[in-house]
Amino acid sequence: AVSSPWPVIILLNCSLHTFRFIGAGKPPMFGDYEAQRHWQEITYNLPVHEWYFNTTDNNLNYWGLDYPPLTAYHSLLCGHVASLINPDWVELHTSQGFESSAHKLFMRATVLIADLLMYVPAVVLYCFYLSEGSNRKKVCLVLCILLYPGLILIDYGHFQYNSISLGLALWGVLGLGLGWDMLGSLAFVLAVNYKQMELYHSLPFFCYLLGKCFKQGMAGRGLFLLVKIAVTVLVTFTLCWLPFLTDPGQVLQVLHRLFPVGRGLFEDKVANTWCSLNVLIKIKTILSTDTQLYLSLAATLLAALPSSIKLLTKPTLWQFKLALVNSSLAFFLFSFQVHEKSILLPALPVCLLLGDLPLPAVWFLQASTFSMLPLFLKDGLFVPYAVTSSAFVFYSVYLLSALEHSSEEELQLKSLSLLPFLSQSPGQFYLSVAAMAGLSFMSVALAPPARLPDLFPLLVSVFSFLHFLGLLLYFNVVQIAEPPSPRRKNPKKTE
Amino acid sequence: MAASTADSWSWFPALALGVSFLKCLMINSYHSTDFEVHRNWLAITHSLPVSKWYHESTSEWTLDYPPLFAWFEYGLSHVAQHFDKKMLVVQNLGYASPATVLFQRLSVIATDVVFIYAVRECCRSVREEKGSKDLLVRPYFILAALLLWNYGLLIVDHIHFQYNGFLCGILLLSVARHLQGRHLEGAFLFAVLLNLKHIYLYIAPAYGIFLLRSYCFTKDNTDGSVRWSSLSLVRLIALGSIVISVCALSFGPFIAMGQLPQVLSRLFPFKRGLCHAYWAPNIWALYNVVDKALSVLGLRLKLLANLPKASMTGGLVQEFQHSVLPSVSPSATLICTLVSILPAVLSIWRCPRGARGFLRCLVVCALCSFMFGWHVHEKAILMAILPLSVLAVESREDAGIFLMLATTGHYSLFPLLFTATEMPTKVLLILLFTLYSFTSLKKLFRGFLLNTLEVTYLLGLIAVEIICEVVYPLLPWKQTLPFVTLLAKSVYCSLGVSYSFIRLYLSILRPTDKPKEL
């Protein structure tokens, strides 16, 4: 019998955070690091109604705030702490481009604290209360989820606070999974108010809760539940936006900053449909901006529709998790102005599937990290990328026996007489990982031919896109056809 | 887990790979002047002919390891030229391009393969009681974790920069061979080790007496004393020839060129001071402090006239004189070390306890050299901690001593990494290692291993760290007495190290009740 897992959890946590700290490399002096520092400066020094506006003190072209109010409040808090330690760090105007090793340590520490407070507890609670298996399996699951390279590299290397928004979303999933719908909705609304990209997850939350209300009967308890949730959502939104509600102009300006529809279908190379399509047909130039907008809207909704409808009719936790994956992946692949970092949004629910569908989950997570390779190369994070990806693939395959369980899914899917390409074998997985490794090394070791300077980023994004498309189809099939859940067969596997 | 039974060794690559990943993440962290030392040695061995190796002094970091290590660097330099040819130019002092850093770090990680193999061999030789089937509580698993993930090795090798993993790997492999009964291989490995780094001369007496007593004399009398008639000349000659041939291979070319005195003078530089810039937590640290305290006391009580302003806290590696107590010379430390080794070595002559007794004596010799040696570096504590880990997973008392020594010794390595960026790393890693060693050994031996006093002392380490890093910089004395923090840490640690030393020594002198096999 395994005794209490908590000492092991604590040890795991310490170790993983050590690795994140060590492996993060040097944060870039400009880019998102400077953006975060600048927001601390702005929110600390200026009054609320000036945060989102272009004023003499606040030049929106220099890393203007483009996240919702909760990010601003968080920056304010960090700004206060920063000014206590060293006021030079947030001095208005003069602190721009500030560099020092103490400041780097401080910024890294803020990410670490956010991670420890928001994301890690949610992961631990999820693995222990909402997943099945022995205690040892749960601990392994925690380790593998926390080892996911994409989040580590983006948060600690590129420098962002995704762990807060993803953590809040995970608390939302936890709440809904444990039956605490109001708390779950509260957490999710907070997540959306931290980063507007969380709206990718909004459709499944909406469909799940609505479906639950329908199931409980719209004449009685269902309606009551609906009203409770609606009130929770509205109150939370109001509280978050309180300082801005005094003036409709404020609200409009914030929305304008959050959703810049002036930009095009995509920027840079991103592993979604439009960018990949652009290789063959130059849609960016053929269609007008408005047409592009409508096209992407239609495609996104169409892609997310089947999974949402299925969830609406059958609101269970398993369906909910799959719908989160399908919906956010559909949004990623077809939406407007998608950045490669948005792959973290489908990656979170896929992490939750690590225990149930190990092989496709590991495959997806590895592909998602690989898709961000050009970004990592720009930030000088190749070594941490190589190390964490290798560690992730090795440990998740080793600890979760990912390759052994693939045969079970194969049998189930074959029994539903589905297309053969949906069956996954260890051989295909290894081939794919080998190709990713090869492309990674080529990107860093070889120079691209002069005629095609973007060859490697393009190859990376197209390769990842094909994986994402395939896995989108796979997860949709799993959700809609719903073979019996793999873990329901053996109640307690002693390990 | 994928390892279905605890008998399959699939967990071992997982542990080894995990720590190797961690080492890769440390590639770009702070490195000390030892990095430049090794780069310089790569350059010297690659660019200059053999006759000039021990005469070269363009850089202050002259070649002061024995010839086998120089040949090792020579081999490495052939790989280095594919990374960055400029690092092999002797005049490029302080050259540290990204390719150079990558190569040097990767070379340490790659040579750690020897260490990993040695750990595996040690784990195979570990005795265990038949009992729990749970993998995490098996002695060999705990030993593998404590050795592969040893905090001291990670910090010293992969941040500070040295090749201790490689060298300690050879040491542990030699120990493992002796535990397995393959004594000739063990002797050969130790001879190689001596020719790689001569600091291991300090533990040579343990090897010598053990091999002589337990290998060359094949039988004992019934009361356990030596049977002189059973001396096996064959074995003696075999041992002797192995050692001599290895040394000949290593020193031969230099003896042929008549450079032996020059080589020896480089290997044993006694111009350096009694203590390193940061005092290793040994007897001399306590001695210095007592001397200083007495001199201050003497001045206050007007017992002494003007004394020279002691410069031992000045941080420079110079010879200095003590004020009140007699000054210590290199020969004095040598005599002290030899005198301290003597009882331990005699005890395994009179009452040999097989390979484990030899291992215990080895640890004691290493600790003696640490406690009494001349110009000891605090990194040398690793020479004692690593072999002690093998004993720690087999006996309850040794586990207690190990916890004290390892925690104190690892903490004493803190000043090696003084940059702000490394601070979270070193703190988190030491917490991780200490927590793991305590919980795993406690689970293995089912009960508390340390008494209240020891636990209080170890908790005091945390207090010392907080006072030195947080409280002291806020005090006004930081400007006038900047080395007080280092002094405090060193003295506090030397208490713990001395305590462990005494306990370990007593364990070797205590007569055993039951005979242990070879």
Side-chain angles (χ1 to χ4, degrees), chain B residues 279 285-301 304 307 310 312 322-325 487:
Chain B
W279 302 347
L286 290 173
Y287 190 86
N288 289 344
V289 159
V290 166
D291 178 69
K292 190 90 172 102
L294 284 179
S295 69
V296 167
L297 205 62
L299 274 176
R300 286 274 171 83
L301 297 178
L304 303 162
L307 290 165
M312 52 184 102
H322 289 94
S323 324
V324 176
L325 301 171
L487 196 154

Side-chain angles (χ1 to χ4, degrees), chain B residues 462-479 484-485 489:
Chain B
I462 305 181
V464 167
E465 177 67 7
I466 294 179
I467 294 176
C468 288
E469 295 302 324
V470 178
V471 175
Y472 193 75
L474 302 173
L475 297 176
W477 302 326
K478 180 144 172 71
Q479 309 305 325
V484 167
T485 50
K489 284 187 200 171

Side-chain angles (χ1 to χ4, degrees), chain B residues 161-359:
Chain B
F161 199 85
Q162 274 212 328
Y163 285 92
N164 285 309
F166 170 61
L167 296 168
C168 288
I170 299 184
L171 177 65
L172 282 177
L173 192 57
S174 149
V175 166
R177 290 287 176 250
H178 284 303
L179 287 174
Q180 290 164 354
R182 290 147 74 166
H183 297 288
L184 282 177
E185 289 181 39
F188 169 71
L189 286 165
F190 184 67
V192 167
L193 183 64
L194 266 186
N195 282 292
L196 280 170
K197 192 169 179 179
H198 50 293
I199 200 172
Y200 293 98
L201 265 178
Y202 283 123
I203 53 178
Y207 271 88
I209 300 296
F210 167 69
L211 284 172
L212 194 59
R213 176 70 175 85
S214 303
Y215 183 66
C216 294
F217 290 100
T218 43
K219 288 204 237 317
D220 291 342
N221 287 330
T222 36
D223 62 349
S225 66
V226 65
R227 190 185 292 188
W228 295 97
S229 57
S230 69
L231 174 63
S232 158
L233 274 179
V234 173
R235 289 187 171 186
L236 187 59
I237 292 178
L239 274 180
S241 51
I242 287 177
V243 173
I244 291 177
S245 51
V246 172
C247 291
L249 209 66
S250 155
F251 281 91
F254 297 95
I255 299 177
M257 288 188 285
Q259 287 191 0
L260 193 61
Q262 170 70 2
V263 173
L264 289 177
S265 77
R266 285 285 171 91
L267 253 51
F268 299 101
F270 278 110
K271 278 282 171 281
R272 301 184 189 165
L274 173 65
C275 290
H276 180 65
Y278 161 63
W279 302 347
N282 62 5
I283 277 290
W284 306 125
L286 290 173
Y287 190 86
N288 289 344
V289 159
V290 166
D291 178 69
K292 190 90 172 102
L294 284 179
S295 69
V296 167
L297 205 62
L299 274 176
R300 286 274 171 83
L301 297 178
K302 307 276 196 291
L303 293 171
L304 303 162
N306 300 334
L307 290 165
K309 205 114 172 85
S311 62
M312 52 184 102
T313 45
L316 291 172
V317 178
Q318 297 165 343
E319 314 233 6
F320 48 79
Q321 308 294 327
H322 289 94
S323 324
V324 176
L325 301 171
S327 288
V328 182
S329 68
S331 25
T333 61
L334 191 61
I335 294 173
C336 284
T337 317
L338 287 176
V339 164
S340 59
I341 292 181
L342 219 50
V345 157
L346 275 177
S347 85
I348 60 163
W349 173 269
R350 285 231 301 272
C351 170
R353 285 180 258 173
R356 277 169 175 74
F358 151 69
L359 181 55

